[in-house]
Amino acid sequence: MNRSVVVIISFLVDLCMPVKDLLKLDNGVQLKATLRVFNGDEKLFGPGKLELLEYIQETGSISQAAKNMGLSYKKAWDMVNSLNQLCKSPIVQAQTGGVKGGKTVLTPHGLELMEAFRILQKNFQQFLEEQLPLFLGK
């Protein structure tokens, strides 16, 4: 089944005075923000969990993914466990067996979540870039 997520963000910037008159500006002014998805008050997903899933996908190991990120194994495991608990179906699963033992894999739902978040990040960044001229009064 091919599903897509559509997020529409509407935001009106109404400044009484252009910020350009307040700031010493050069050509390096940027708007930066970190996008995170919450379920109630609990953080469901953000750049850290995306990076962790990317490393798990690359290495097949929560332990190695944690090392690559400079996290303790417990912290990485807690992040994975949180994702699996907050979602309707598992995002990450352990597979047992094999000559070298088991490995950790992303489920199809995990891959969908990663892709949906990447698209949301891209759209969010585009939104910020569109807002910059309004913020600067250009």
Side-chain angles (χ1 to χ4, degrees):
M1 177 190 300
N2 187 7
R3 291 181 276 170
S4 62
V5 176
V6 177
V7 176
I8 300 172
I9 300 174
S10 177
F11 187 81
L12 177 62
V13 175
D14 184 17
L15 299 173
C16 298
M17 175 192 301
V19 174
K20 71 177 181 178
D21 296 336
L22 303 174
L23 303 175
K24 292 181 182 179
L25 298 177
D26 60 21
N27 291 331
V29 175
Q30 301 175 43
L31 292 178
K32 292 187 178 185
T34 302
L35 181 65
R36 291 185 173 88
V37 179
F38 286 80
N39 182 7
D41 289 335
E42 192 162 358
K43 185 170 39 169
L44 173 63
F45 205 75
K49 287 183 181 175
L50 175 63
E51 184 180 10
L52 180 62
L53 293 184
E54 288 170 340
Y55 278 126
I56 290 171
Q57 184 179 26
E58 178 184 315
T59 64
S61 163
I62 294 174
S63 177
Q64 189 59 50
K67 285 179 187 174
N68 289 353
M69 291 181 67
L71 299 175
S72 70
Y73 175 80
K74 179 171 180 356
K75 174 66 177 169
W77 173 252
D78 288 346
M79 291 167 72
V80 167
N81 192 43
S82 168
L83 267 175
N84 282 342
Q85 294 299 316
L86 290 171
C87 293
K88 288 184 177 181
S89 57
I91 301 302
V92 176
Q93 284 185 325
Q95 291 184 339
T96 58
V99 175
K100 296 181 182 178
K103 65 179 183 175
T104 304
V105 297
L106 302 181
T107 66
H109 293 266
L111 296 172
E112 286 179 33
L113 179 61
M114 287 173 61
E115 184 60 23
F117 189 75
R118 285 183 186 124
I119 291 168
L120 185 59
Q121 278 185 311
K122 180 182 169 200
N123 291 343
F124 186 60
Q125 185 57 45
Q126 182 179 351
F127 168 76
L128 290 175
E129 290 167 8
E130 291 167 358
Q131 295 304 306
L132 184 58
L134 298 173
F135 178 71
L136 295 175
K138 290 184 178 180

